[in-house]
Amino acid sequence: MTADDTLGRLEDDDYPAYTMGRAAEMLGTTQSFLRAIGEARLITPLRSAGGHRRYSRYQLRIAARARELVDQGTPIEAACRIIILEDQLEEAQRINAEYRRATGSANPAAAA
């Protein structure tokens, strides 16, 4: 593997570059928080060959959003569900926008 290959991977949002300890440190949280959002199935860290959890930058952004909600007093399970629903809504809106573009309709009521 060349240095360019390594750099390319580190720039990939989905590359699991961060250990649990480093991820917790970056988020200013605990490792148990990361385990809890994993158990709630908000994120599923990849495992190293030795079985250690590894997190991507994308997963860290999701974890940071969960931490914001928990810091505001939202229970962790509810925070995870909120984020999942927000993600589903965003995906549905993206699909609807693609459908409107494909049908040539800028008016959502006309597409219905």
Side-chain angles (χ1 to χ4, degrees):
M1 180 179 295
T2 67
D4 287 340
D5 292 339
T6 302
L7 181 59
R9 283 187 175 182
L10 292 175
E11 291 177 354
D12 180 357
D13 264 1
D14 295 319
Y15 181 69
Y18 304 97
T19 63
M20 177 181 269
R22 180 67 180 128
E25 180 182 312
M26 290 170 66
L27 295 170
T29 191
T30 63
Q31 292 181 17
S32 64
F33 175 81
L34 291 172
R35 280 191 290 277
I37 62 175
E39 289 169 8
R41 296 193 176 148
L42 179 61
I43 59 175
T44 304
L46 293 176
R47 298 284 184 147
S48 69
H52 300 282
R53 290 174 179 90
R54 306 283 295 195
Y55 297 88
S56 68
R57 289 190 314 196
Y58 174 74
Q59 290 172 323
L60 294 183
R61 283 195 300 273
I62 293 171
R65 174 71 176 127
R67 179 165 184 243
E68 287 174 15
L69 290 171
V70 170
D71 286 350
Q72 294 170 4
T74 306
I76 196 162
E77 297 82 12
C80 291
R81 186 68 181 140
I82 287 167
I83 294 166
I84 289 167
L85 290 170
E86 287 174 341
D87 188 52
Q88 289 173 346
L89 175 61
E90 184 179 319
E91 178 67 7
Q93 289 172 333
R94 184 191 63 74
I95 290 168
N96 286 340
E98 286 179 11
Y99 175 74
R100 283 192 295 274
R101 278 192 300 276
T103 62
S105 173
N107 181 357

